[in-house]
Amino acid sequence: MGLALLTTVNITLPSVSLAQKQPVRSTSSMATDYLLGGGDRIRVNVFEVPEYTGEYQVPPGGSINMPLIGSIPVSGLTTEQAADTIARKYARFLKRPLISVNLLSPRPINVFVAGEVTTPGAYTLRLEGGAGNNPGVQYPTVLAALTTAQGVTLAADVTQVQLRRKVGRSGEQTVSLNLKELTQTGRISQDITLRDGDTIVVPTATSLNVAEARNLFAANFAASQTAPRTVVVIGQVYRPGSYLVTTGSGGGAESSGGSGTAGAGGGLPTVMRSLQLAGGITSMADVRKIKLRRPTRIGTEQTIDINLWELLQSGDINQDIVVQDGDTIIIPTATDISAAEATQLATTTLSPTTIEVGVVGEVKRAGSVKLQPNSSLNQALLAAGGFNDGRASRGSVELIRLNSNGTVSKRPIKVDLAKGINDETNPILRNNDVVVVDRNTLAKTGDRVNTVAGPLGTILGIIRLFTGL
């Protein structure tokens, strides 16, 4: 059966994002002129004076040492600005000096990636190609930087990615990039080439569209699809605990001590797979009010409301939320659940394949029986072969239950095999429940007689043996 979620989920977060922590000057376009810096290899041509022409590696200090004019600072200048600076210096010695500066080999680019990425931090990005004789230098782009930072998280707002760039020696320029538009239209203009010193900030989303979240998960600049993610599942599931969820075709794996791993294959690491790993929902689960708590890179927490009943009704598999490392899924206890809804839930992948219930006492096949989840007491009695004819107390049985808080409860149930599911005469059973069928009055009386008559009969037999009576 297909699954779906509510179309949009609101997330409560502080109004200040990472991109707003410092004042910046915003513009509609980004400065693209290359600025020289330490590590660049350049060629300075002094026309008609070949002895002054030469190649230079710009040192960390940013100044090159040229014949006759000495140290010339070029760091932070374009090649044209550097040529003008050198020309002014040579004007003291040469009449109308003609100077050109060519970039032969650009330095690696150092950028900083912050916000909703897997591993925020400073990165050095290599350039491909060259300049001068090979002008087809390929600069790393925003997407390359995000990929180097192991991709954006599922808590990211990719419609407002900020790129900050230094202008001159003290200015700063900022543009907002809509990477969602890039994935939808292929507009390369959204993937700006980077320059040394650029900062990329991926803000935290304040709302979540589940269909777009699925598309974000599949984007090449998102976090790894195959990387295992640790998810905690608590509440009304059969095995609450921490689980390692990966992509895979299996519904889950064996677990020990409340932990497990989903198998590898083609499935996505979603809420549904997480619940399957946790053994499925219990009969007391409120599938309409499930919550997913997701930590963000700015120290807050997103809270996402999930209505799995709507998932089952709408059949839109694209709406099943993909989980992220650190997520916590909470399955609350239902205050009321109808028999029809319980039966329907038992046939979905939200529930385990079977539960185990003990039926002991006066039934035809006493012992452990396997039942479909959300089965009733009457179904357990029938699975055990029904009442033991002539000995069973058919009017009432005892239901023993181990509660989630560690206590044990015991209550009598007045059995009515003609009734449907109801809490009084035919309640829904839980895993590890025990149903005790007692003896009727006649059977108890007969057992007491046999207990007394057993030794007495033996004595009378011995007397007959020796007396011949």
Side-chain angles (χ1 to χ4, degrees), residues 29-37 40 74-82 103 106-107 109 127 137 139 163 165-169 173 192-198:
S29 61
M30 178 63 68
T32 57
D33 291 336
Y34 186 84
L35 303 182
L36 296 173
D40 286 334
V74 296
S75 180
L77 304 179
T78 65
T79 53
E80 291 80 5
Q81 290 171 339
L103 181 64
R107 67 193 181 278
I109 287 177
L127 287 74
V137 61
Y139 295 100
L163 173 59
R165 177 167 297 171
K166 294 179 180 178
V167 179
R169 300 188 182 276
Q173 199 173 24
I192 296 177
T193 55
L194 298 177
R195 294 294 180 262
D196 191 48
D198 281 355

Side-chain angles (χ1 to χ4, degrees), residues 11-340:
I11 302 169
T12 303
L13 289 173
S15 59
V16 179
S17 69
L18 253 174
Q20 297 172 318
K21 289 185 177 179
Q22 54 181 330
V24 294
R25 181 168 59 89
S26 297
T27 63
S28 58
S29 61
M30 178 63 68
T32 57
D33 291 336
Y34 186 84
L35 303 182
L36 296 173
D40 286 334
R41 186 165 185 80
I42 61 176
R43 179 179 178 82
V44 180
N45 294 297
V46 182
F47 293 97
E48 297 183 353
V49 190
E51 61 269 27
Y52 292 170
T53 296
E55 296 182 4
Y56 300 88
Q57 184 88 29
V58 180
S63 297
I64 58 175
N65 193 31
M66 298 194 64
L68 193 63
I69 57 175
S71 179
I72 304 296
V74 296
S75 180
L77 304 179
T78 65
T79 53
E80 291 80 5
Q81 290 171 339
D84 289 341
T85 299
I86 295 171
R88 286 195 297 271
K89 293 290 184 179
Y90 272 121
R92 296 171 54 193
F93 307 99
L94 302 175
K95 185 177 181 180
R96 296 181 182 177
L98 297 177
I99 309 295
S100 68
V101 176
N102 300 103
L103 181 64
L104 300 179
S105 178
R107 67 193 181 278
I109 287 177
N110 295 300
V111 299
F112 193 86
V113 185
E116 291 296 339
V117 291
T118 304
T119 52
Y123 292 94
T124 299
L125 306 178
R126 299 288 175 180
L127 287 74
E128 298 178 0
N133 295 331
N134 182 13
V137 61
Q138 298 295 315
Y139 295 100
T141 64
V142 171
L143 295 190
L146 296 178
T147 302
T148 304
Q150 299 184 34
V152 300
T153 72
L154 296 176
D157 181 359
V158 297
T159 67
Q160 300 185 65
V161 176
Q162 299 292 316
L163 173 59
R164 299 173 184 169
R165 177 167 297 171
K166 294 179 180 178
V167 179
R169 300 188 182 276
S170 59
E172 187 180 63
Q173 199 173 24
T174 299
V175 296
S176 180
L177 307 177
N178 185 348
L179 298 186
K180 171 188 168 184
E181 184 178 346
L182 173 65
T183 60
Q184 292 178 338
T185 67
R187 287 182 54 204
I188 304 301
S189 60
Q190 289 292 330
D191 190 16
I192 296 177
T193 55
L194 298 177
R195 294 294 180 262
D196 191 48
D198 281 355
T199 296
I200 302 166
V201 180
V202 182
T204 301
T206 56
S207 64
L208 175 68
N209 180 290
V210 292
E212 291 179 3
R214 180 69 64 100
N215 292 334
L216 174 59
F217 174 76
N220 67 344
F221 55 84
S224 170
Q225 296 183 9
T226 58
R229 58 221 51 210
T230 300
V231 175
V232 175
V233 185
I234 58 177
Q236 289 297 332
V237 290
Y238 281 99
R239 296 192 302 270
S242 176
Y243 291 90
L244 197 63
V245 186
T246 67
T247 55
S249 57
E254 293 297 324
S255 65
S256 174
S259 63
T261 306
L268 297 178
T270 64
V271 169
M272 297 295 293
R273 284 177 61 78
S274 304
L275 296 183
Q276 291 165 3
L277 274 175
I281 61 171
T282 72
S283 60
M284 297 301 295
D286 186 348
V287 297
R288 289 180 169 85
K289 296 181 180 179
I290 294 174
K291 290 189 179 294
L292 185 146
R293 296 202 307 251
R294 174 168 291 167
T296 70
R297 287 288 183 262
I298 59 175
T300 60
E301 189 177 75
Q302 294 178 341
T303 300
I304 304 169
D305 296 316
I306 304 173
N307 188 333
L308 288 186
W309 186 251
E310 290 293 331
L311 281 174
L312 297 173
Q313 300 307 304
S314 64
D316 184 1
I317 191 68
N318 291 325
Q319 300 293 321
D320 189 13
I321 287 183
V322 175
V323 296
Q324 178 172 287
D325 191 59
D327 281 354
T328 298
I329 303 171
I330 306 168
I331 315 297
T333 302
T335 56
D336 184 31
I337 185 169
S338 69

Side-chain angles (χ1 to χ4, degrees), residues 361-386:
E362 297 300 333
V363 289
K364 293 178 180 178
R365 293 190 300 272
S368 177
V369 296
K370 291 186 180 297
L371 302 170
Q372 189 180 55
N374 298 315
S375 293
S376 68
L377 183 141
N378 288 354
Q379 290 171 298
L381 291 173
L382 293 175

Side-chain angles (χ1 to χ4, degrees), residues 331-351:
I331 315 297
T333 302
T335 56
D336 184 31
I337 185 169
S338 69
E341 183 174 318
T343 302
Q344 184 173 346
L345 286 173
T347 62
T348 70
T349 55
L350 288 174
S351 297

